[in-house]
Amino acid sequence: MKTIFTLLLGICTFAVTGQTLTANELLEKAIAYHDPNGNWETFQGLLNIALEMPDRPARVSEVQIDLPNEFFSVTVQGEDKTRRVVDKGACLFMLNGSKEVSEEDIKKHRGDCERSTMFKNYYTYLYGLPMKLKDPGTHIDPVVQKKTFKGKEYLVIRASYDQEVGSDIWQFYFNPETYAMEVYQFFKGPDETTGEYILLTDEMEIGGIKMPKDRAWYYNKDNGYLGTDKLVKG
Protein backbone atom coordinates (compact mmCIF):
# COMPACT_ATOMS: atom_id res chain seq x y z
CA MET A 1 0.00 0.00 0.00
CA LYS A 2 2.81 2.32 0.91
CA THR A 3 4.47 1.55 -2.42
CA ILE A 4 1.29 2.37 -4.37
CA PHE A 5 0.81 5.62 -2.42
CA THR A 6 4.41 6.61 -3.08
CA LEU A 7 3.98 5.85 -6.77
CA LEU A 8 0.77 7.89 -6.98
CA LEU A 9 2.44 10.77 -5.14
CA GLY A 10 5.30 10.67 -7.61
CA ILE A 11 2.88 10.77 -10.56
CA CYS A 12 0.98 13.72 -9.09
CA THR A 13 4.19 15.59 -8.36
CA PHE A 14 5.38 15.03 -11.94
CA ALA A 15 2.04 16.30 -13.30
CA VAL A 16 2.23 19.51 -11.27
CA THR A 17 5.89 20.04 -12.16
CA GLY A 18 5.15 19.38 -15.84
CA GLN A 19 2.71 22.30 -15.83
CA THR A 20 5.41 24.72 -14.68
CA LEU A 21 6.91 26.69 -17.53
CA THR A 22 10.49 27.83 -17.66
CA ALA A 23 11.10 31.40 -18.79
CA ASN A 24 12.34 30.21 -22.18
CA GLU A 25 9.24 28.05 -22.67
CA LEU A 26 6.98 30.97 -21.75
CA LEU A 27 8.89 33.23 -24.11
CA GLU A 28 8.44 30.76 -26.97
CA LYS A 29 4.70 30.62 -26.32
CA ALA A 30 4.49 34.42 -26.22
CA ILE A 31 6.40 34.71 -29.49
CA ALA A 32 4.12 32.08 -31.04
CA TYR A 33 1.16 34.28 -30.08
CA HIS A 34 2.56 37.60 -31.31
CA ASP A 35 4.57 36.37 -34.30
CA PRO A 36 3.15 32.96 -35.26
CA ASN A 37 4.87 32.85 -38.66
CA GLY A 38 8.27 34.14 -37.57
CA ASN A 39 7.98 37.40 -39.54
CA TRP A 40 9.95 39.68 -37.22
CA GLU A 41 13.40 38.72 -38.53
CA THR A 42 12.42 39.97 -42.01
CA PHE A 43 10.07 42.73 -40.90
CA GLN A 44 9.54 45.64 -43.28
CA GLY A 45 6.79 47.96 -42.20
CA LEU A 46 5.50 51.47 -41.64
CA LEU A 47 4.12 52.44 -38.22
CA ASN A 48 2.07 55.58 -37.65
CA ILE A 49 2.21 56.41 -33.96
CA ALA A 50 0.14 59.13 -32.29
CA LEU A 51 1.55 60.32 -28.96
CA GLU A 52 -0.92 61.86 -26.50
CA MET A 53 0.43 63.61 -23.40
CA PRO A 54 -1.29 65.73 -20.75
CA ASP A 55 -1.45 69.43 -21.63
CA ARG A 56 0.34 68.96 -24.95
CA PRO A 57 -0.93 68.70 -28.52
CA ALA A 58 -0.97 65.20 -30.03
CA ARG A 59 2.05 64.35 -32.16
CA VAL A 60 2.18 61.79 -34.95
CA SER A 61 5.40 60.00 -35.89
CA GLU A 62 5.85 57.96 -39.06
CA VAL A 63 8.30 55.15 -38.34
CA GLN A 64 9.78 52.96 -41.06
CA ILE A 65 11.55 49.75 -40.04
CA ASP A 66 13.29 47.59 -42.63
CA LEU A 67 15.32 44.96 -40.79
CA PRO A 68 16.71 43.03 -43.81
CA ASN A 69 18.17 46.23 -45.28
CA GLU A 70 19.23 47.68 -41.90
CA PHE A 71 17.18 50.80 -42.56
CA PHE A 72 15.23 52.95 -40.09
CA SER A 73 13.59 56.34 -40.30
CA VAL A 74 11.26 58.41 -38.14
CA THR A 75 9.45 61.48 -39.44
CA VAL A 76 7.71 63.89 -37.06
CA GLN A 77 5.52 66.83 -38.05
CA GLY A 78 5.59 69.53 -35.42
CA GLU A 79 6.33 73.22 -35.76
CA ASP A 80 8.98 71.92 -38.13
CA LYS A 81 9.06 68.61 -39.99
CA THR A 82 12.04 66.48 -39.05
CA ARG A 83 13.22 63.18 -40.45
CA ARG A 84 15.91 60.98 -38.96
CA VAL A 85 17.41 58.16 -41.03
CA VAL A 86 19.80 55.41 -39.94
CA ASP A 87 20.85 53.42 -42.99
CA LYS A 88 23.32 50.59 -42.26
CA GLY A 89 24.73 52.68 -39.42
CA ALA A 90 25.04 55.92 -41.45
CA CYS A 91 22.86 58.78 -40.23
CA LEU A 92 20.97 61.53 -42.03
CA PHE A 93 18.94 64.36 -40.51
CA MET A 94 16.47 66.31 -42.63
CA LEU A 95 14.61 69.49 -41.72
CA ASN A 96 11.48 70.53 -43.61
CA GLY A 97 12.44 68.25 -46.48
CA SER A 98 16.01 69.54 -46.84
CA LYS A 99 19.21 67.59 -46.33
CA GLU A 100 21.13 70.87 -45.98
CA VAL A 101 20.77 71.56 -42.27
CA SER A 102 22.90 74.02 -40.33
CA GLU A 103 24.83 72.96 -37.26
CA GLU A 104 22.65 75.35 -35.27
CA ASP A 105 19.46 73.62 -36.41
CA ILE A 106 20.95 70.17 -35.82
CA LYS A 107 21.73 71.23 -32.27
CA LYS A 108 18.29 72.82 -31.81
CA HIS A 109 16.45 69.68 -32.97
CA ARG A 110 18.99 67.25 -31.51
CA GLY A 111 19.55 65.79 -34.94
CA ASP A 112 22.87 64.11 -34.12
CA CYS A 113 23.57 60.48 -35.03
CA GLU A 114 23.63 59.31 -31.42
CA ARG A 115 20.06 60.46 -30.84
CA SER A 116 18.85 59.07 -34.17
CA THR A 117 20.36 55.70 -33.25
CA MET A 118 18.60 55.92 -29.88
CA PHE A 119 15.26 56.36 -31.67
CA LYS A 120 16.03 53.37 -33.89
CA ASN A 121 16.83 51.19 -30.89
CA TYR A 122 13.77 52.45 -28.98
CA TYR A 123 11.21 51.74 -31.69
CA THR A 124 12.65 48.44 -32.90
CA TYR A 125 12.94 47.19 -29.33
CA LEU A 126 9.46 48.07 -28.08
CA TYR A 127 7.57 47.12 -31.24
CA GLY A 128 9.73 44.03 -31.67
CA LEU A 129 8.77 42.59 -28.28
CA PRO A 130 8.62 39.86 -27.16
CA MET A 131 10.80 38.61 -30.04
CA LYS A 132 13.60 41.03 -29.08
CA LEU A 133 14.07 39.14 -25.81
CA LYS A 134 16.04 36.57 -27.80
CA ASP A 135 18.65 39.16 -28.84
CA PRO A 136 22.29 38.69 -27.76
CA GLY A 137 23.12 40.55 -24.57
CA THR A 138 19.73 39.74 -22.98
CA HIS A 139 19.75 37.69 -19.79
CA ILE A 140 16.47 36.02 -18.87
CA ASP A 141 15.86 34.84 -15.32
CA PRO A 142 14.97 31.15 -15.79
CA VAL A 143 12.23 31.26 -13.13
CA VAL A 144 8.78 32.42 -14.22
CA GLN A 145 7.11 34.50 -11.51
CA LYS A 146 3.38 34.65 -10.87
CA LYS A 147 2.26 38.17 -10.02
CA THR A 148 -0.95 40.12 -9.63
CA PHE A 149 -0.80 43.54 -11.27
CA LYS A 150 -3.74 45.96 -11.28
CA GLY A 151 -5.95 43.16 -10.02
CA LYS A 152 -5.04 40.68 -12.77
CA GLU A 153 -2.81 37.61 -12.58
CA TYR A 154 0.15 37.26 -14.91
CA LEU A 155 3.11 35.07 -15.71
CA VAL A 156 6.19 37.28 -15.50
CA ILE A 157 9.62 37.12 -17.14
CA ARG A 158 12.44 39.23 -15.69
CA ALA A 159 15.31 40.36 -17.92
CA SER A 160 18.61 42.18 -17.49
CA TYR A 161 21.16 43.16 -20.12
CA ASP A 162 24.84 43.41 -20.86
CA GLN A 163 26.15 46.82 -19.84
CA GLU A 164 26.63 47.93 -23.45
CA VAL A 165 23.01 47.01 -24.21
CA GLY A 166 21.35 48.68 -21.22
CA SER A 167 21.45 48.90 -17.44
CA ASP A 168 17.70 48.78 -16.74
CA ILE A 169 15.94 45.72 -15.36
CA TRP A 170 12.73 44.79 -17.19
CA GLN A 171 9.70 42.68 -16.32
CA PHE A 172 7.25 41.38 -18.92
CA TYR A 173 3.73 40.34 -17.95
CA PHE A 174 1.95 37.68 -20.01
CA ASN A 175 -1.66 36.54 -19.99
CA PRO A 176 -1.54 33.02 -18.44
CA GLU A 177 -4.16 31.70 -20.89
CA THR A 178 -3.24 33.27 -24.24
CA TYR A 179 0.42 34.23 -23.50
CA ALA A 180 -0.23 37.68 -24.93
CA MET A 181 2.07 40.37 -23.55
CA GLU A 182 -0.14 42.86 -21.66
CA VAL A 183 2.25 44.87 -19.45
CA TYR A 184 5.93 45.64 -19.25
CA GLN A 185 7.90 47.52 -16.66
CA PHE A 186 11.45 48.68 -16.11
CA PHE A 187 13.51 49.75 -13.12
CA LYS A 188 16.66 51.82 -12.92
CA GLY A 189 18.60 49.14 -11.08
CA PRO A 190 17.32 47.23 -8.04
CA ASP A 191 15.14 50.09 -6.72
CA GLU A 192 11.62 49.21 -7.90
CA THR A 193 10.28 52.69 -7.14
CA THR A 194 12.27 53.96 -10.13
CA GLY A 195 11.35 53.62 -13.78
CA GLU A 196 7.97 53.14 -15.38
CA TYR A 197 5.31 50.59 -16.24
CA ILE A 198 3.42 50.41 -19.52
CA LEU A 199 -0.10 49.04 -19.96
CA LEU A 200 -0.76 47.47 -23.36
CA THR A 201 -4.33 47.42 -24.66
CA ASP A 202 -5.83 46.29 -27.95
CA GLU A 203 -3.75 44.99 -30.83
CA MET A 204 -3.01 45.86 -34.43
CA GLU A 205 -1.60 43.32 -36.85
CA ILE A 206 1.21 44.69 -38.98
CA GLY A 207 3.24 42.44 -41.25
CA GLY A 208 1.68 39.37 -39.65
CA ILE A 209 2.74 40.47 -36.15
CA LYS A 210 0.30 41.29 -33.34
CA MET A 211 1.56 44.58 -31.91
CA PRO A 212 0.09 46.53 -28.99
CA LYS A 213 -2.19 49.23 -30.37
CA ASP A 214 -2.18 51.45 -27.28
CA ARG A 215 0.63 51.81 -24.75
CA ALA A 216 -0.07 53.92 -21.65
CA TRP A 217 3.00 54.96 -19.63
CA TYR A 218 3.07 55.52 -15.84
CA TYR A 219 5.69 56.13 -13.17
CA ASN A 220 6.32 53.18 -10.85
CA LYS A 221 6.82 55.54 -7.92
CA ASP A 222 3.41 57.18 -7.76
CA ASN A 223 1.40 55.83 -10.73
CA GLY A 224 1.71 59.26 -12.33
CA TYR A 225 0.45 59.23 -15.89
CA LEU A 226 2.96 60.19 -18.60
CA GLY A 227 1.14 59.65 -21.88
CA THR A 228 -0.16 57.13 -24.38
CA ASP A 229 1.18 56.23 -27.78
CA LYS A 230 -1.24 54.68 -30.24
CA LEU A 231 -0.78 52.84 -33.49
CA VAL A 232 -3.04 54.46 -36.07
CA LYS A 233 -3.80 53.61 -39.65
CA GLY A 234 -1.87 55.72 -42.13
Side-chain angles (χ1 to χ4, degrees):
M1 194 66 162
K2 183 178 180 181
T3 304
I4 295 174
F5 177 79
T6 304
L7 178 61
L8 289 174
L9 181 61
I11 292 172
C12 291
T13 303
F14 176 80
V16 172
T17 304
Q19 293 173 1
T20 303
L21 293 173
T22 66
N24 284 333
E25 289 169 340
L26 174 55
L27 179 56
E28 290 299 333
K29 288 181 179 293
I31 290 173
Y33 174 85
H34 285 279
D35 185 16
N37 298 310
N39 290 341
W40 175 250
E41 290 298 321
T42 57
F43 181 78
Q44 296 171 303
L46 192 65
L47 312 178
N48 290 286
I49 304 166
L51 175 62
E52 299 175 356
M53 300 178 69
D55 304 320
R56 294 189 185 183
R59 186 186 72 197
V60 177
S61 300
E62 182 184 87
V63 176
Q64 183 179 355
I65 300 173
D66 183 344
L67 296 181
N69 293 302
E70 301 178 53
F71 180 89
F72 169 86
S73 75
V74 55
T75 303
V76 180
Q77 179 66 66
E79 183 178 343
D80 291 300
K81 182 178 182 179
T82 62
R83 187 182 187 212
R84 302 170 186 272
V85 174
V86 182
D87 187 359
K88 296 180 178 63
C91 298
L92 171 68
F93 180 75
M94 299 175 66
L95 181 62
N96 297 321
S98 175
K99 297 180 182 179
E100 303 299 323
V101 185
S102 68
E103 289 297 325
E104 182 180 355
D105 279 330
I106 289 176
K107 185 176 181 180
K108 175 184 175 182
H109 295 281
R110 301 183 69 182
D112 55 279
C113 192
E114 181 178 359
R115 187 159 179 82
S116 295
T117 301
M118 183 275 292
F119 274 104
K120 175 184 77 73
N121 294 338
Y122 170 84
Y123 283 113
T124 54
Y125 179 75
L126 292 183
Y127 285 101
L129 288 169
M131 293 72 73
K132 292 289 287 179
L133 292 179
K134 299 190 77 172
D135 280 4
T138 306
H139 303 283
I140 304 292
D141 189 318
V143 178
V144 174
Q145 301 179 47
K146 293 182 179 180
K147 292 190 176 187
T148 300
F149 193 82
K150 302 295 181 183
K152 187 171 180 179
E153 292 184 355
Y154 292 100
L155 300 177
V156 180
I157 287 177
R158 190 173 176 94
S160 59
Y161 300 86
D162 286 349
Q163 190 62 40
E164 59 269 24
V165 177
S167 58
D168 295 343
I169 297 171
W170 286 72
Q171 292 188 153
F172 301 89
Y173 295 69
F174 299 95
N175 185 303
E177 296 180 0
T178 66
Y179 305 110
M181 183 177 61
E182 296 184 356
V183 183
Y184 42 74
Q185 182 178 36
F186 68 90
F187 312 114
K188 299 290 185 179
D191 184 354
E192 295 192 2
T193 65
T194 62
E196 300 159 16
Y197 65 88
I198 301 90
L199 305 181
L200 312 175
T201 54
D202 297 329
E203 291 175 347
M204 182 178 288
E205 187 171 312
I206 299 177
I209 300 171
K210 297 186 187 79
M211 296 183 177
K213 183 177 181 294
D214 299 340
R215 300 183 306 165
W217 297 70
Y218 299 84
Y219 286 120
N220 287 321
K221 184 176 182 179
D222 57 7
N223 296 305
Y225 174 65
L226 291 163
T228 301
D229 48 55
K230 302 182 176 185
L231 280 176
V232 296
K233 293 184 178 180

